Each structure stands twice: as structure tokens, then as C-alpha cells.
Amino acid sequence: MGLSLNIIDIIVLAIISVALILDFYRFVRGPLASDRVMAADTMTVTTASLLVFLGYLFDRYIYLDIALIYAVLGFIGVIVIARYLEGGV
Amino acid sequence: MKKLISIVFLLYVAYQLFVVFYAVPFGTDEVRSKVGRFYLEHSPKDLHVANTVTSIVVNFRGFDTLGEVTVLFLASTALGSILFRRREVHTRLSHLRTSVEASSIVRVAGRILFPLIVLLGAYVFIHGHLTPGGGFQGGVIIATGFLFLLLAYRQFTVEHRTIMWIESLAGITFAGIGLVGIFVGKTFLENFLGVGRLNDLISGGIIPLIYIAVGFKVAAELTGILDTILSISITVDETENQTEKNG
Amino acid sequence: MEQVLTYLGYILIVIGAIFLFLGGLGIVRLPDIYSRLQAGTKASTLGAMSLILGVGFLNPAWLVKSLVIVIFIALSNPISSHALARGSYRHNIKPWSKEDIDAYRQYLKEEGQKEREEEAKQTENKD
Amino acid sequence: MQTKSLASKPVRFLYSWFLFFIVWLAFTTSFQLPEVLTGLAVSLILAAISYETFTGWGFKGIKLRNMWWSMVYILNFIWLMVKANLNVARIVLTPSLPINPGIVEFETKLTNVYAKMVLANSITLTPGTFTVDVVDNKFYIHWLDVTVTDPHEVYKEIAEPFERILLKIFN
Amino acid sequence: MSTIITILVVIGALVLVAAAVFAVHKRDLVVATVATSVISLVLSLFYFLLQAPDVALTEAAIGVALTTIIFIVTIKNTKRFED
């Protein structure tokens, strides 16, 4: 893969990786199920933006579709668990 | 001790797998088999399909896909047959799906976002031959949209008769397109339409038609399954409560 | 003009990445689920929006689709966090509070009372 | 839904069709004839299914005045959102965590359900506040740094800047 | 592949393993369900990095809500241990 990255790209990727690790830390630590769900939700949003950025780096327009799916559907998984917690499902 | 042994064993297995896979030059031309090269060459050239995976799934191995769709249909039917009696009890016992209503924000969001989710699903399966995705993925997205409605509104249920009709019609369309292939050409699911220009919406012959049928079928099946299992989850509670009160 | 768009895009992308990082830091540092939801939702929503919009500016042909993604994120992300907060509260997870300010608990208590009364009435009618 | 300002069925149907078609064009970003025709067909089917619940107003919503106030609202909102995030950043980066969280309530003057949703989402995304629940016209807000607890004061503090504009758009 | 992307892949792999261990070892099944959705998220990212957008899209569409609801309904109808 002939991927040419400039310094800003590398910095951005590094920052997003650190953000993902922080989210995952909360996922591991989170004392309650809700904390973990929230961490997973934040990870989903972060990953969606990471996918858009990687799509730009690979220069493939169609890769935006996957990020679109995460943006549109990502919240339904959270609502499922939220409804379960409030006794709704 | 047991744990230690299992961890050591797992690490050994992981190491061996690493050794094996490290030797394989993934992603280079050496591993591409004859079949793979054939697909890569012929799918844009003969069929004018931008998404090679689609052309393999629907055209070169279309019969396989028909089998998969049938498996999904069987699974949904089997689930329905197991849970049917429970459903009957459910409709008799309770007028509401759940005890706690969703918050009004979620309900209003359901009104606005549901059509947009369905539109995205339609986009994914209609553009299956141009962009990633296809019938199955589009159907799953539409079913997720219905899941959102089922979660947000506790009175909302899906009309199972309509679902059955959509499902059957989509299945018949798929098989019918295949049969037309027999009559026009030689084989089942042979392409009988013009292939169009690469990267146009009207291209790839029968692929978009089949994907639309598959999309409808998968969406209908999954929606039916979701509605069934969500009703069941209430039914168990309700029947338990009922027996407690009566007994 | 193109130069300007490129600079603008990169600035937005870096801001977005920093906000995503701050969101992660926020959910690690804050004391309870509700405060964490605040940090997580706000920072990650703005971060994602800014980053995706930045990519749109870098590549003007992508602008429309990235705008669609941004709009969907802005619509759907607060809803999911709101639903999660409501679900957690109704699952009896108490918020961390210095001065014990909690209007919602009062409301839930009243509502529970009302429901119980109604249920009692219904069972009476049945019998 | 407000029965007062409900548009007639054909108008709502046309409005939904129009809106879905625009979203479709945004998905495909292409103006070739087959794409446009397919989009028209798909959004027609979708509008036929869901126009009853999708919108209550129809084209009445699209007025120059409303568009102008929506612009004002969005700009205002973006500015407040940036401020909110700087605020969160300040709190998170301060070692001592200067917060005093609590849940407060206030009553809104809005009657339209869509307006309420917009208000709730805006509150969720702006400084230190977070919608926990909406019951009829009562909002329950988790506030990261509570300064006042009286509903009227809370209303003035949190909701007023949004509601002033929202009342102009939705009424 | 560029170095930073290799690092990203390594981080993702570690997250994957940790989430898998979580899903197996936690007594609270809701947490295990969330762990599976994290696994699906990272897997989707991997497929994306390996230039297989079709598979990534499938993983995204299925893993984001459909598996969750099936597991949650199962948990609801059996038993949940909370920790």
C-alpha cells in the first residue's frame, strides 16, 4: 500500500488512537454496565470519524458508506440496552 | 495449574499460527489463485460491475446465494413455528408490549429517523453493484430501522401477513429471474440483460434486480423475527404474572 | 482558494481529533455515569463533526456526503445518550452529588405512587 | 402532535416525498437520469408509508422567515456548542475537577413535539447540561455545575437563549 | 503499510483480545453483550484497513444492533447477574 502520510496525518491518527485507548480504559474499568455501554458508544463515534479519516487517506470515496452506517445506526445499539435497563424491551 | 497449562497451550497455538500465516505473502500477486484472477479480470470486463464481490456473490455463484436466502427463510419459519403458540397467548393476554414507555424524545426521533434509516437501507441495496454492501446488508439496515420503531413505540407491531407477502414475492422474483435465464440462455441465473456502462446505476445486468429482491426478502424476514422475539419476551413476563396472580 | 480549503480542513481535523481525545479523558476522569455522559457526548460529538467536516473540506467532492454524516451524528448521538441516562436512572443508579440536588427522584416517586394506585384500582375492578 | 396547525394529507405527502428525495440525492451525489428516477420512485414508496408520522406541517415549515431564524439558531447553537466543549475541556483538564452536579427541572413554553426534541438535543450538546427526561412540558436536566435550583431561574439560565428563537420558528 | 497504521492495528488487536476475555469472563451478561459489540467494532475497523469494505459494512450493519437485541432478549428471558 503506497500510503504517503504527512506529519499532521500521523499526529491525528496518534491522537485518535489515544482517545480510543482512553475509551477502552473506561470500558474495562467502568463499575457499572451503563459506564461500559457509554464507553462503547463513544468508541463507536470515534471509530466512525477514524473511518472517515482513513477513507480520506486511502482516497476511496466509497469507504464513506461504512462511516455513514455507523453514524446512522450506532445509536440503536445503545437504545436497546437503555430500554432494557429501564425495563422496556 | 490447569489454567497455566491452557495458557501455555494457547500461546503455543498462537505462535504456530503466526509462523504459518507469516510465511504466506498476503495481499501480493503470488497468492492470487487462478479463480481469483479470473474473477478480477472478468467482472469489470464482461459484466461491467464495479464491485467485484457483488458479481461473485450474485452472478458467478448466484445459486449459492439462492441457497443462503432459503436458509434464512427456513430459520425464520422455524422460529415462527416454535414461538407461534406463545404469540397467540401474547395477543390474548396483553394489549401493551412493555410496561415502561420510551421517553418522548426517543419517540419523536423514531418518527424522523425511521424513514431516513429505511432510505439508507434502500440506497445500500440498490447500489449494491457500485458501492460496498448489497441486498443482505441493506435488508439488515431496514430491519434495524424497524427495530428502532419497535423499541420506541410499545403499541407498534408489524403486520405479519404483509411481511409474508413481501417475502414470498421477493423470493419468487429471485427464482423467476433465474428461470428466465434458463429460457433465454442455457443456465439458471444466466445474465439476460444488457450490461451497461461501468459505474452506471443501470449496469451489471440482472445483479441490481436480484439485489433488490434479496433486500426486500431479508428486510421482511428479519423484521418478522425481531417482532416475534420482542413479543415473546413480554409474553413470558405477562404469563408469569398472570399465573402468580391466579395461583 | 484550494489552499485555503486545505488549511481550513486540516485545522478542523486537528481540532476534531483533540476534542475526541478530550472526550476520552473526560469519561476517564469524571466521577459518575451522568457526568461522564456529559463529557463523552459533547466532546465526541463535536470532535467527530469537526473531523468529518474537515475531511469534507480537504476533498470538496466529498463535502455533501460528509455533511450528511455530520447531520446524522448531530441528530442521533444526543438521543442515545439521553436514552442511556434515562435508562440508568430508572435502573436505580444514583447520581454523584455534593449537595444532593435531585428533582427527578421526586418526580419518579410521585409517578410510582400514581401507578401503584392505578394498579390497585384495576385489580379491584377485576375482582 | 398539534392538531391545530396540521397540514392536509396530500401536502404532507408531497413534503415527505420532497425531503426524502433530497436526502437520496445527498446519499448518491449524482444527477444521472437513472439515479434521479430511482430516487423519485424510492422516496415515493417511502413517503407513502411514513408521511403520516413524519411531518405535521408540510410546506408551511418552509418560509423565508423560518429559514432565517433557523440559520440564526444553527449559528447560535454552534457557538454555544464550541463554548460547551471548551468548558468541558477546562473541567476535565483541571486537576481538582471543579464540579457540583445535580438534577434540576424547568417548564418549557414550547408545545410542538419536534421543537421539544430540538430543544432537548440542544441542551444535551451545550454547556454543562444534559437532558435526563422530558415529561409533557417538564424538562429534567442534569447540570454539571448547579448554581440555581428554582425552576424559573433554571429556565432563564439554560433554556431561554434557545427557546427565544425556537418559539419564533415553530409558532 | 505505514508504521502508524501498523501501530493502530496492534492496538486494535490488543483491544480485541481484551474485549474477548471480557466477554468470556464477566458474570454480568449485559457487559458481555457490550463487549461483543466492541469486538465487532474493532473487527470492522480491521476489515476496513485490509481494504475489504464489503465485509466491513456487513460487520457494521449486523454488529451494531442486531446481535445486541438478540442477546438482550435472551438475557431478559433468563437471568442477569449484576456486579
Side-chain angles (χ1 to χ4, degrees):
Chain A
M1 226 183 316
L3 209 57
S4 64
L5 301 173
N6 61 28
I7 184 78
I8 300 176
D9 295 340
I10 291 174
I11 289 172
V12 167
L13 282 176
I15 294 175
I16 295 178
S17 314
V18 176
L20 274 177
I21 291 172
L22 285 175
D23 295 344
F24 191 68
Y25 174 77
R26 179 46 73 194
F27 174 79
V28 173
R29 273 293 305 282
L32 302 167
S34 314
D35 291 294
R36 299 193 162 113
V37 177
M38 175 205 54
D41 186 33
T42 317
M43 272 179 97
T44 308
V45 177
T46 312
T47 310
S49 29
L50 177 62
L51 290 179
V52 172
F53 190 62
L54 284 172
Y56 162 70
L57 293 183
F58 293 145
D59 201 16
R60 298 288 290 275
Y61 177 67
I62 53 172
Y63 285 12
L64 281 185
D65 280 5
I66 301 157
L68 186 60
I69 302 263
Y70 271 121
V72 177
L73 298 185
F75 75 113
I76 295 178
V78 181
I79 287 183
V80 169
I81 295 176
R83 290 286 286 150
Y84 168 72
L85 286 177
E86 68 185 22
V89 171
Chain B
M1 194 60 203
K2 232 194 229 166
K3 256 186 191 168
L4 194 73
I5 291 174
S6 57
I7 287 173
V8 170
F9 178 71
L10 273 179
L11 282 178
Y12 177 72
V13 170
Y15 172 72
Q16 287 297 338
L17 280 176
F18 172 74
V19 169
V20 169
F21 283 118
Y22 197 70
V24 182
F26 281 115
T28 56
D29 268 344
E30 291 167 49
V31 279
R32 228 169 255 159
S33 61
K34 217 169 166 185
V35 183
R37 223 171 277 143
F38 175 84
Y39 285 149
L40 281 180
E41 271 171 25
H42 283 256
S43 140
K45 204 173 68 189
D46 296 354
L47 281 166
H48 293 209
V49 175
N51 186 353
T52 312
V53 178
T54 311
S55 72
I56 295 171
V57 168
V58 177
N59 204 293
F60 294 114
R61 296 189 179 175
F63 201 57
D64 198 37
T65 307
L66 185 60
E68 278 162 20
V69 175
T70 315
V71 167
L72 193 62
F73 170 68
L74 280 179
S76 119
T77 316
L79 194 69
S81 72
I82 291 170
L83 299 178
F84 183 68
R85 209 151 277 210
R86 285 276 183 83
R87 267 190 65 81
E88 291 286 288
V89 174
H90 160 66
T91 44
R92 203 152 39 76
L93 268 184
S94 66
H95 44 288
L96 296 174
R97 299 179 71 88
T98 67
S99 45
V100 180
E101 207 165 4
S103 85
S104 64
I105 297 179
V106 175
R107 276 180 284 150
V108 177
R111 277 189 201 165
I112 296 174
L113 285 176
F114 164 72
L116 301 182
I117 293 173
V118 175
L119 193 65
L120 177 67
Y123 163 74
V124 167
F125 71 66
I126 288 172
H127 287 246
H129 54 301
L130 302 175
T131 59
F136 187 73
Q137 290 89 329
V140 169
I141 292 167
I142 291 177
T144 314
F146 276 103
L147 169 64
F148 185 27
L149 276 193
L150 286 167
L151 289 172
Y153 290 90
R154 51 182 182 170
Q155 299 96 335
F156 180 80
T157 43
V158 182
E159 191 71 46
H160 276 260
R161 193 172 293 273
T162 322
I163 283 196
M164 203 183 70
W165 271 103
I166 293 174
E167 197 177 357
S168 320
L169 280 180
I172 290 170
T173 315
F174 193 166
I177 291 171
L179 287 178
V180 171
I182 291 189
F183 290 124
V184 174
K186 285 186 210 109
T187 54
F188 189 70
L189 276 176
E190 185 168 314
N191 189 15
F192 57 86
L193 294 171
V195 289
R197 239 173 356 126
L198 191 66
N199 271 331
D200 262 6
L201 182 62
I202 311 282
S203 68
I206 57 172
I207 289 177
L209 292 179
I210 288 180
Y211 258 172
I212 289 168
V214 172
F216 271 104
K217 199 166 157 61
V218 171
E221 275 159 2
L222 285 178
T223 310
I225 289 177
L226 285 174
D227 186 56
T228 312
I229 62 171
L230 279 173
S231 314
I232 295 319
S233 97
I234 309 311
T235 314
V236 177
D237 285 358
E238 291 287 323
T239 40
E240 272 169 12
N241 288 345
Q242 207 71 14
T243 45
E244 266 171 33
K245 271 175 198 163
N246 292 344
Chain C
M1 187 60 202
E2 212 158 273
Q3 204 72 20
V4 175
L5 275 185
T6 311
Y7 284 131
L8 193 62
Y10 268 119
I11 288 170
L12 280 177
I13 283 175
V14 172
I15 290 174
I18 287 170
F19 273 123
L20 284 175
F21 168 75
L22 283 175
L25 200 63
I27 69 171
V28 168
R29 282 207 63 200
L30 286 166
D32 76 328
I33 165 80
Y34 304 98
S35 322
R36 280 177 210 145
L37 267 172
Q38 294 230 15
T41 314
K42 289 191 229 300
S44 69
T45 309
L46 184 73
M49 284 165 77
S50 161
L51 199 150
I52 294 167
L53 207 63
V55 170
F57 278 139
L58 280 185
N59 233 354
W62 295 19
L63 189 58
V64 176
K65 207 156 200 177
S66 51
L67 266 178
V68 172
I69 298 178
V70 164
I71 290 169
F72 270 117
I73 283 182
L75 257 179
S76 68
N77 218 15
I79 291 165
S80 73
S81 343
H82 152 76
L84 187 57
R86 189 177 185 262
S88 309
Y89 204 102
R90 290 184 174 234
H91 198 64
N92 284 329
I93 296 166
K94 293 276 169 284
W96 182 88
S97 181
K98 263 186 209 160
E99 293 171 17
D100 200 34
I101 306 158
D102 198 340
Y104 193 50
R105 194 193 307 149
Q106 193 64 32
Y107 161 72
L108 278 185
K109 229 183 248 167
E110 280 164 19
E111 194 199 39
Q113 197 80 30
K114 229 181 274 169
E115 257 174 30
R116 245 170 278 136
E117 274 167 20
E118 246 166 54
E119 214 166 80
K121 219 177 267 173
Q122 271 184 1
T123 43
E124 262 173 39
N125 287 350
K126 251 182 211 167
D127 298 337
Chain D
M1 199 180 293
Q2 271 56 55
T3 44
K4 193 174 62 184
S5 57
L6 212 61
S8 68
K9 276 185 176 182
V11 172
R12 279 191 285 161
F13 173 73
L14 281 177
Y15 177 72
S16 320
W17 188 10
F18 174 72
L19 222 64
F20 296 155
F21 181 59
I22 286 183
V23 177
W24 172 272
L25 286 182
F27 280 154
T28 57
T29 55
S30 139
F31 285 101
Q32 287 172 342
L33 191 63
E35 299 264 15
V36 172
L37 288 180
T38 320
L40 280 175
V42 170
S43 39
L44 177 75
I45 296 169
L46 204 53
I49 298 171
S50 64
Y51 75 96
E52 292 223 26
T53 52
F54 182 67
T55 170
W57 274 17
F59 288 99
K60 268 188 225 163
I62 304 181
K63 277 187 209 149
L64 209 60
R65 198 171 64 91
N66 280 358
M67 302 265 263
W68 161 248
W69 282 115
S70 306
M71 270 318 262
V72 172
Y73 185 80
I74 287 170
L75 289 178
N76 193 1
F77 169 66
I78 287 173
W79 163 238
L80 280 174
M81 198 169 147
V82 171
K83 228 167 74 180
N85 280 285
L86 293 177
N87 186 24
V88 167
R90 184 180 60 79
I91 288 172
V92 167
L93 293 176
T94 316
S96 61
L97 286 178
I99 55 172
N100 174 28
I103 297 181
V104 294
E105 60 175 330
F106 71 84
E107 269 183 43
T108 172
K109 291 187 190 119
L110 296 168
T111 47
N112 189 302
V113 281
Y114 299 99
K116 275 186 208 162
M117 193 195 84
V118 173
L119 179 60
N121 280 2
S122 310
I123 287 173
T124 301
L125 289 176
T126 47
T129 51
F130 188 95
T131 317
V132 176
D133 203 352
V134 180
V135 187
D136 296 330
N137 54 2
K138 272 210 171 119
F139 277 63
Y140 293 90
I141 306 288
H142 182 264
W143 202 350
L144 210 49
D145 201 359
V146 178
T147 49
V148 286
T149 50
D150 182 59
H152 291 285
E153 301 278 322
V154 172
Y155 172 76
K156 245 178 224 161
E157 194 85 3
I158 297 176
E160 186 125 57
F162 296 119
E163 235 184 76
R164 222 178 33 229
I165 307 172
L166 279 178
L167 279 172
K168 276 179 185 138
I169 299 175
F170 282 95
N171 284 348
Chain E
M1 234 191 256
S2 170
T3 331
I4 181 78
I5 288 184
T6 316
I7 293 172
L8 199 66
V9 168
V10 171
I11 291 170
L14 291 178
V15 167
L16 203 62
V17 172
V21 169
F22 232 73
V24 174
H25 264 270
K26 274 285 156 183
R27 262 175 80 78
D28 189 348
L29 288 177
V30 173
V31 173
T33 309
V34 182
T36 43
S37 81
V38 170
I39 291 174
S40 132
L41 185 72
V42 180
L43 271 182
S44 173
L45 180 63
F46 273 14
Y47 292 134
F48 188 92
L49 285 173
L50 295 172
Q51 311 258 332
D54 272 276
V55 194
L57 199 130
T58 314
E59 185 69 50
I62 294 174
V64 85
L66 220 55
T67 48
T68 316
I69 182 70
I70 288 172
F71 281 132
I72 286 288
V73 167
T74 314
I75 294 168
K76 162 118 191 183
N77 287 336
T78 51
K79 209 171 208 172
R80 176 190 173 200
F81 303 98
E82 219 171 322
D83 50 17

